[in-house]
Amino acid sequence: MIDKKWIGHELPASELSLDRSRLRFFAKAIGETSSIYTDVDAARAAGYGDLPAPPTFLFAAEMDSGASDLLLQTLEIPIARILHGEQSFCYHLPACAGDRITVRSKVDDIYDKKNGALEFVVKSSRVTNQNDELVAEMRAVIVVRN
């Protein structure tokens, strides 16, 4: 069983500079076809300062930082036992190429179902930009099969 002492635990902040090539690559990988994600002129015409981060990019950016791996190590959860349970986003501002984002995450809850056969780790994250403005709030639920 995952120790509930980890509820409230904050992970180290993850920082990432957003560059155009990475945003274009991610847009292509998820099948995004809107030109605002690949063409700077189209993005600016749509009101963005540069190429915006495609949907779900911020979740992937946090994973790339190693924060998710660190969480699993800290909670002593083998990666082979996890399932992606849920994920949600609340966007406040666009994140665009040239921005430097910081993701701060914490464990909000740990609970089990089916007499411990399944455990759930609820993690919330706040994403801010280089001006310390709130860009997004994210929530993820990790399911652990026992």
Side-chain angles (χ1 to χ4, degrees):
M1 296 294 284
I2 303 168
D3 195 328
K4 293 185 186 231
K5 74 177 184 181
W6 295 110
I7 296 173
H9 176 71
E10 295 182 13
L11 284 81
S14 303
E15 294 186 8
L16 179 69
S17 294
L18 305 184
D19 66 63
R20 289 178 183 158
S21 61
R22 183 174 180 150
L23 295 177
R24 284 183 180 119
F25 180 81
F26 189 86
K28 182 179 178 183
I30 64 169
E32 181 58 64
T33 59
S34 174
S35 61
I36 65 168
Y37 298 107
T38 56
D39 182 278
V40 176
D41 291 333
R44 289 187 175 144
Y48 296 100
D50 209 304
L51 297 180
T56 73
F57 177 83
L58 298 175
F59 179 76
E62 183 185 30
M63 288 193 65
D64 285 354
S65 75
S68 297
D69 292 336
L70 178 60
L71 176 62
L72 295 178
Q73 290 171 3
T74 300
L75 300 181
E76 299 179 358
I77 300 170
I79 195 165
R81 290 185 20 220
I82 67 168
L83 298 171
H84 176 76
E86 178 183 323
Q87 149 183 355
S88 63
F89 301 85
C90 179
Y91 294 101
H92 300 280
L93 293 172
C96 295
D99 286 350
R100 178 148 187 89
I101 60 166
T102 301
V103 182
R104 291 180 175 83
S105 301
K106 73 173 188 161
V107 176
D108 285 336
D109 199 7
I110 298 170
Y111 61 92
D112 67 272
K113 291 186 177 182
K114 297 189 179 191
N115 294 319
L118 296 174
E119 292 181 279
F120 298 80
V121 178
V122 181
K123 179 182 63 123
S124 64
S125 305
R126 293 176 54 85
V127 182
T128 55
N129 63 18
Q130 66 277 3
N131 300 317
D132 204 32
E133 298 169 312
L134 182 62
V135 172
E137 296 169 282
M138 303 184 295
R139 181 177 184 271
V141 179
I142 301 165
V143 181
V144 182
R145 297 172 291 127
N146 291 322

